[in-house]
Amino acid sequence: MGLLSLIRSLKKKEGEARILVLGLDNAGKTTILKCLSEEDITTITPTQGFNIKSLTRDGFNLKIWDIGGQKSIRPYWRNYFDATDALVYVIDSFDRKRIVESGSELDIILEEEKMKGVPLIVFANKQDLVGAMSADEIADELNLVAIRDRPWQIQACSAKEGSGLTEGMEWLMKMLK
Amino acid sequence: MSQVKLKKFLLRYYPPGIILQYERDGVMKQKPVDLLDLGPGVDIEALCSQVIKQEPLVSENRRPALRQLMGRLLEKMAETQHHSFSLFKLWDVETGMERASLLGHKAEIVSLNFNTTGDLIITGSFDHDSRIWDVRTGRCVHTLSGHRGEVSSTQFNHAGKDEPCFHGAGACVNAPLCLQVCTCTLVLAPLCLQGAHACVNAPLCLQVCKCTLVLAPLCLQVCKCTLVLAPLCLHGACVCVCVCVCVCGHTDEVLDVAFDAAGSSFVSASADGTARLYNTNTGVCAHTLIGHEGEISKVAYNPQGTRVITASSDKTSRIWDTQTGECLQILEGHQDEIFSCAFNYEGDFIITGSKDNTCRIWKAATATSQLLHEHAVASRGTTGML
């Protein structure tokens, strides 16, 4: 292995991807993470700091970073932007009051230089609740159609029931390949 | 009653906090403690007391450890967030003072070279761009984009003189497993390149000739601009589209390129274990330097242009005759792969840098002699790798 390949290997391992999971507090980021790694989701508390999970999917080693979404920790999100291959943004579809706040946090992330061109999947979580906003409604609210600098997708899901997550991850894997 | 024992403190930088690692009934568990209020001017002792009071796991005798951890968190917070590789600094050789920071690249800079007159620098970066910088002002004179992969090597040619023309070469990865080295010709003043009708708007306007590269999967090519087809005016600078003459050769990635002092020939080094000598004007491969048993990561000419030195992962460097393509000598002695090699200005000393953490200086009897003797082994700590 020569110098160039050495530098390259330091940068990124083949078949490895770093996925960042962000969203407001109580959106269900940790629940989605636990659901994906088939862990118990009955006792989830607000995330202090962050959780990391390593998953293998289609031969890909996914390093998933779930960063807490409380207002006090949001300023630290940007410390995790480096070398991100895909962004998962989770939204509480039942929380109509904070959809605008959620949208503006997303806008800030997308404007970051380090997140330039990083594929985005928005999980419209908590679809199991009656009165939850639909994926279309949320897409409108966040004006996702205006995103032209990266591939993006919105996926309705319920982490509690485990629905929609597989579809979303499939799209994500397609982007990573 | 369950047994709880604090085992370890872990530091969490973003957001600032401490993670308590403890053992409960033989099972290791973690508990994060947020320290979001921590910042310059905060009373650390008070914060320590607060943590000790709130966390039953942390007793008073842990205070010194806590204090130390908070100190480290504060240190980290004081660091600038912008510790990217996107800048490199320019130092004054005589005063040792920093003269300018050249900002612009968005990823690691892996290659950097001065031109012969010392007023320009060319850099190659993992952000797929090469940039040319003005040494005096520290400003980016031109960005050479177009490559679809990391630019691993950049070179000016040394034609120099009054000729306001120089070459920049960059390696680019265009398709998986395909790496190309192309030489782009840059014209600095109204000057025609091989009969091209160059339209330059202002004196000192940079004209960039973009290479259209012919791609063949898994094929490695060295391209050279020969023909300027049509000048197009773009943003005040002239961009010319060139036709490339492709000279295939290497069977694996090209890792380094170098011009000779006259700029009339260049050499490429490849992961396929060979180096190739080319004529700059015709693009014809004059010699293939075969012998290394591992990839060649660095090549260099001596100032006279009579010798080429290669550095390889087979732990040897080799000296080659540029006229005949013969290997004149093998420099053996390094314990690990050699990443770098260079001649001194007179061409009578060679220095090699290796992964074994040493640099070795080799003495050549004269630049034209065929035998070189290992003169001194200078093991100087950790000069090796990067």
Side-chain angles (χ1 to χ4, degrees), chain B residues 180-243:
Chain B
Q180 303 190 315
V181 174
C182 60
T183 65
C184 309
T185 312
L186 300 162
V187 184
L188 208 73
L191 185 102
C192 293
L193 243 189
Q194 298 180 357
H197 40 289
C199 79
V200 180
N201 294 340
L204 292 179
C205 159
L206 266 182
Q207 190 180 22
V208 181
C209 299
K210 238 192 197 160
C211 295
T212 33
L213 302 169
V214 183
L215 280 180
L218 292 173
C219 159
L220 216 122
Q221 302 174 320
V222 175
C223 304
K224 199 178 76 67
C225 303
T226 50
L227 245 172
V228 182
L229 279 189
L232 312 162
C233 272
L234 201 83
H235 305 308
C238 291
V239 178
C240 297
V241 184
C242 310
V243 173

Side-chain angles (χ1 to χ4, degrees), chain A residues 54-96:
Chain A
S54 198
L55 294 182
T56 313
R57 230 170 233 253
D58 307 347
F60 254 84
N61 185 12
L62 304 180
K63 287 246 177 335
I64 310 186
W65 293 69
D66 154 36
I67 322 290
Q70 280 154 77
K71 206 157 192 174
S72 53
I73 8 189
R74 278 180 226 161
Y76 297 99
W77 283 358
R78 53 191 310 275
N79 296 105
Y80 294 86
F81 288 168
D82 271 324
T84 297
D85 297 300
L87 172 66
V88 175
Y89 197 75
V90 185
I91 286 172
D92 177 351
S93 311
F94 190 70
D95 190 355
R96 284 173 193 271

Side-chain angles (χ1 to χ4, degrees), chain B residues 38-70:
Chain B
L38 195 66
V42 161
D43 184 353
I44 290 193
E45 289 308 319
L47 204 55
C48 285
S49 308
Q50 195 188 326
V51 172
I52 291 163
K53 201 172 142 203
Q54 282 172 359
E55 293 299 332
L57 281 167
V58 186
S59 56
E60 182 61 39
N61 58 11
R62 301 282 187 185
R63 186 181 281 271
L66 269 184
R67 198 182 294 136
Q68 200 193 349
L69 289 171
M70 286 181 193

Side-chain angles (χ1 to χ4, degrees), chain B residues 332-334 356 358-362 374-380:
Chain B
E332 287 170 296
H334 275 297
D356 66 12
T358 67
C359 287
R360 283 170 188 248
I361 298 170
W362 315 73
E374 185 181 337
H375 174 61
V377 178
S379 300
R380 288 181 194 142

